[in-house]
Amino acid sequence: MRPGVAVVQFPGSNCEYETALALQEAGLDGRIVRWNASPSSLASFQAFVLPGGFSYQDRIRAGAVAARDGVMDAVCSMASAGRPVLGICNGAQILVESGLVPGWRPGTIEAALASNLSPGRTGYYADWVFVRPARGSARSPWLCACDDSPIPLPVAHAEGRFLFPSGTELDDLESSGTPALTYCMPGGEPAVEWPWNPNGSSFSLAGILDPSGGVLAMMPHPERARWLWQVPPGLPGPWGAKRRLSSGRAAIHEPGPGSAVFSSLARWLGAG
Amino acid sequence: MTTFRIAVRLRAPDPAARTARLALSRVMPAECPAILSRYDLWEFDVESGGLEVVEAILGRYPDILNPNKQESLVLGGEPLPGEDASMTWVSVEISDRDSGSSAGWSSVIGRAGFPVAEVRCKVLWILGYPGSATTGEVLEKAGAVAVSVTRSRGLLSNPVSQTARIFIPERPGSEGSPGK
């Protein structure tokens, strides 16, 4: 029997179907669960994914309303019991607003995903970027099958800039195992500026973990890079080259760079 | 340099305000205001000229003011429409630290040639409590609602990325009350 993974759909989520499909392709039983499902119906799931979208129309602040939804009581409870939780894009915003990440003082809001800060631009930004798993992130169920080579993934958001309380240094984050994914150049060098750091995120962070590693909040969309055919042929680096070579061949239907997130969880749960 | 503060609101009931009040009534019923309204607050530091500069900007950018669905008010101390004198009103002004929106709009409007040194995009929430509540009580309740501490305490701002200014608005003929 495949381990069950709940994809929690809020009003305004818009990536739940492809996220559930990516989980199923990884050998998991990805199922969409609505925000108003009974808490008891969530107990059987081994892991949870909060998908991307615009929950509650981003009213007040992205993720702020969904974080206070009743279903998040159950998700927080499951996370504290050690069940893996992934938030993608709007899901990451919900996890930050829930106080699940960085989770230094569990339940307390200690980070923000602020509006993008990039020269001469404002608002929503969508493009492909490269990320690398941070040192120590292999302890996470969501990243344990990733190597440290650059992973191309798409981003699409207006509020994706990780911020921490003033005075927080990179050493503070590393000592608590917070960094999960960092934006990088196509060759793997750290990304400092736009467009490779697409939103001005602190320490070029694209994703953060709670201290246990079980909760991952990431802004890029791995489910939109689940298959090789989703990779733009013009992308620099090995994935772009692989994509170009696969054109017109069966290989184009092979797993893409984002599949590593879902296959990590499958391996962690003994299904991969 | 003159700073103009323009509040922009929907002509229809604001969905964000309704959602915020619904969420607060569930997680913080004791502090939830009886009435909650929301405005986009735009501050323009105009280097030369007067209100006509701001009016020209508003006329050019429907992303700031779409007259088909929104209306604007120049803030100057007078009560905002709908503020019932029998209630006690508190303003909560939310500003982003290092605001990407403010930087972006400052750049866009500067490049367009308007004599504006800086644009600041904020959100203004107006909280109405029953008139029987004291000023101290409503400031305390508004403060609790304004700053998110956990999932169940606070809502209107994230203290890591935003600041909240909470105050009783000054009215003509009154001395106003200090906020915090």
Side-chain angles (χ1 to χ4, degrees), chain A residues 59-61 65 67-69 72-73 76 97-98 107-112 115-117 120-122 161 163-165, chain B residues 15-16 19-20 26-27 96-101 103-104 107 111 125 148-151 154-158 160-162:
Chain A
R59 291 176 188 175
I60 306 170
R61 194 170 57 257
V65 180
R68 287 153 179 87
D69 216 320
M72 287 305 295
D73 296 343
C76 291
E97 289 286 340
S98 299
T108 304
I109 295 170
E110 298 167 293
S115 56
N116 298 349
L117 195 58
R121 311 181 51 95
T122 183
R161 179 167 48 109
L163 281 183
F164 302 94
Chain B
T19 302
R26 188 161 42 80
V27 298
D96 286 358
R97 305 177 207 269
D98 299 327
S99 168
S101 298
S107 171
R111 283 197 312 247
W125 297 88
S148 297
V149 180
T150 67
R151 290 177 57 230
L155 176 64
L156 303 182
S157 71
N158 180 319
V160 176
S161 61
Q162 297 175 309

Side-chain angles (χ1 to χ4, degrees), chain A residues 106-252:
Chain A
T108 304
I109 295 170
E110 298 167 293
L113 279 161
S115 56
N116 298 349
L117 195 58
S118 44
R121 311 181 51 95
T122 183
Y124 189 83
Y125 181 72
D127 202 352
W128 280 70
V129 297
F130 289 83
V131 300
R132 286 183 80 164
R135 198 171 354 137
S137 63
R139 76 186 192 285
S140 171
W142 304 101
L143 299 172
C144 61
C146 298
D147 60 31
D148 71 346
S149 57
I151 306 168
L153 294 173
V155 290
H157 56 252
E159 293 93 14
R161 179 167 48 109
F162 279 106
L163 281 183
F164 302 94
S166 59
T168 304
E169 302 290 343
L170 184 57
D171 285 348
D172 302 323
L173 301 182
E174 288 179 336
S175 66
S176 56
T178 300
L181 296 164
T182 54
Y183 294 112
C184 67
M185 309 280 282
E189 307 84 358
V192 180
E193 296 180 335
W194 187 86
W196 300 115
N197 178 344
N199 47 40
S201 189
S202 302
F203 312 114
S204 294
L205 285 168
I208 64 173
L209 291 165
D210 75 334
S212 77
V215 184
L216 168 61
M218 62 185 290
M219 290 310 298
H221 285 265
E223 82 284 6
R224 296 184 189 176
R226 168 61 185 79
W227 286 273
L228 186 56
W229 57 261
Q230 292 173 302
V231 175
L235 206 65
W239 279 103
K242 192 174 176 184
R243 169 65 181 83
R244 287 190 291 278
L245 285 172
S246 73
S247 290
R249 301 164 188 242
I252 201 168

Side-chain angles (χ1 to χ4, degrees), chain A residues 6-11 31-43 45 48 69-75:
Chain A
V7 179
V8 183
Q9 177 199 44
F10 292 95
R31 289 193 200 178
I32 296 169
V33 177
R34 290 163 68 100
W35 75 99
N36 52 3
S38 70
S40 61
S41 68
L42 297 173
F45 291 100
F48 299 84
D69 216 320
V71 71
M72 287 305 295
D73 296 343
V75 172

